[in-house]
């Protein structure tokens, strides 16, 4: 069963530091996504990525955030100048096309201290 | 604003009982997915329903898509503790981005 792989599983960072969360989507999927989930709250959409560019982003995804697909396999989320409220589980997902279900990774737990 | 409302929000039942979770919207969805999420893990896709009135079964889980494709239900027969988790519906309507439902947190007691 193909998987979406995320690394690291847990990241602790000092407030103000930059973090990069990494994802390897399923190889033949075309759409890539980042979501986050603050403890006890709902899954929130951050950004979608298709054809090497952002196709949609939420109001959460401000200038502090950026995404990149640096090569044919990795999909990264960079958070600059982290804040305490950025602490959450960050999930990467991919899908083969619009209207299809998503395959999620197991997440990166980001803790900002 | 597109919304997918799930009900109930929380459900605690005894092992062996049946339950139904609902996912409702005022918008028509081209397809709907159901996921289960366990603590500390990402949501896991359970099923996709596409056609109005469609019924799909996955062991003890039965999924139905409403005739008008605005709602869906998940029925679990003889619930087991392993069914415990957060159940999410999700989908996209028209040109809107994919959204997730508000979630139903299920706890099955042994």
């Amino acid at each position: 069963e193909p998987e979406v792989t995320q690394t690291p599983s847990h990241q602790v960072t000092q407030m103000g530091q930059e973090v990069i969360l990494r994802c390897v989507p399923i190889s033949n999927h075309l759409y890539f996504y980042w979501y986050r989930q603050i403890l006890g709250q709902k899954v929130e959409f951050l950004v979608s990525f298709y054809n090497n560019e952002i196709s949609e982003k939420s109001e959460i995804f401000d200038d502090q955030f950026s995404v990149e697909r640096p090569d044919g396999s990795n999909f990264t989320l960079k958070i600059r100048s982290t804040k305490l409220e950025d602490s959450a589980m960050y999930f990467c997902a991919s899908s083969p096309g619009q209207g299809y279900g998503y395959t999620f990774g197991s997440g990166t737990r980001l803790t900002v201290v | 604003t597109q919304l997918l409302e799930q009900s109930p929000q929380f459900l605690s039942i005894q092992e062996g009982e049946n339950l139904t979770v609902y996912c409702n919207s005022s918008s028509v969805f081209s397809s709907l997915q159901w996921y289960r999420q366990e603590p500390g893990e990402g949501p896991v896709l359970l099923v996709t329903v596409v056609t109005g009135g469609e019924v799909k079964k996955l062991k003890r889980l039965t999924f139905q898509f409403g005739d008008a494709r605005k709602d869906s239900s998940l029925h679990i027969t003889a619930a087991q503790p392993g069914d415990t988790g957060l159940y999410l519906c999700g989908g996209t309507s028209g040109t809107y981005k994919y959204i997730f439902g508000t979630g139903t947190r299920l706890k099955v007691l042994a």
Side-chain angles (χ1 to χ4, degrees):
Chain A
E1 184 83 34
E3 287 184 344
V4 173
T5 306
Q6 288 188 245
T7 55
S9 56
H10 193 185
Q11 173 96 43
V12 181
T13 190
Q14 295 271 347
M15 192 168 56
Q17 296 296 305
E18 175 183 286
V19 294
I20 297 176
L21 310 183
R22 302 180 192 279
C23 170
V24 180
I26 293 174
S27 60
N28 63 349
H29 283 189
L30 302 177
Y31 291 79
F32 314 115
Y33 310 89
W34 283 100
Y35 284 80
R36 79 172 184 191
Q37 187 175 35
I38 295 169
L39 187 64
Q41 297 186 23
K42 65 183 290 187
V43 177
E44 298 177 293
F45 170 76
L46 292 178
V47 66
S48 60
F49 194 86
Y50 170 71
N51 202 25
N52 287 318
E53 61 183 22
I54 292 173
S55 52
E56 184 97 41
K57 60 182 181 179
S58 72
E59 50 278 0
I60 302 169
F61 194 89
D62 58 21
D63 292 343
Q64 187 193 4
F65 295 89
S66 62
V67 290
E68 201 176 34
R69 189 154 161 83
D71 52 45
S73 59
N74 291 285
F75 180 50
T76 62
L77 174 68
K78 183 188 290 185
I79 309 175
R80 288 179 279 275
S81 189
T82 49
K83 299 174 282 196
L84 294 176
E85 53 265 38
D86 295 327
S87 295
M89 282 288 284
Y90 287 81
F91 294 107
C92 173
S94 68
S95 72
Q98 289 186 316
Y100 289 83
Y102 292 9
T103 302
F104 280 87
S106 53
T108 293
R109 182 176 297 283
L110 177 65
T111 303
V112 182
V113 296
Chain B
T1 303
Q2 226 189 357
L3 283 176
L4 274 173
E5 298 279 353
Q6 286 185 238
S7 60
Q9 190 178 357
F10 299 99
L11 191 54
S12 180
I13 61 170
Q14 291 294 130
E15 182 176 4
E17 291 184 1
N18 302 331
L19 66 117
T20 302
V21 175
Y22 299 93
C23 173
N24 294 296
S25 176
S26 57
S27 303
V28 174
F29 282 76
S30 54
S31 66
L32 267 177
Q33 286 79 34
W34 283 93
Y35 302 81
R36 180 172 67 223
Q37 184 182 21
E38 298 187 26
E41 298 291 328
V44 174
L45 179 64
L46 298 174
V47 79
T48 296
V49 286
V50 179
T51 308
E54 181 177 4
V55 176
K56 282 193 174 178
K57 292 198 172 189
L58 187 67
K59 297 183 182 176
R60 294 175 293 100
L61 278 58
T62 302
F63 304 86
Q64 184 159 10
F65 203 10
D67 290 341
R69 292 187 287 132
K70 292 183 178 181
D71 54 85
S72 182
S73 64
L74 157 61
H75 182 79
I76 302 179
T77 304
Q80 298 176 0
D83 296 327
T84 293
L86 176 68
Y87 288 81
L88 296 164
C89 61
T92 187
S93 171
T95 58
Y96 292 104
K97 65 178 181 288
Y98 195 96
I99 61 168
F100 286 93
T102 48
T104 294
R105 198 168 293 280
L106 171 66
K107 186 167 187 175
V108 182
L109 304 168

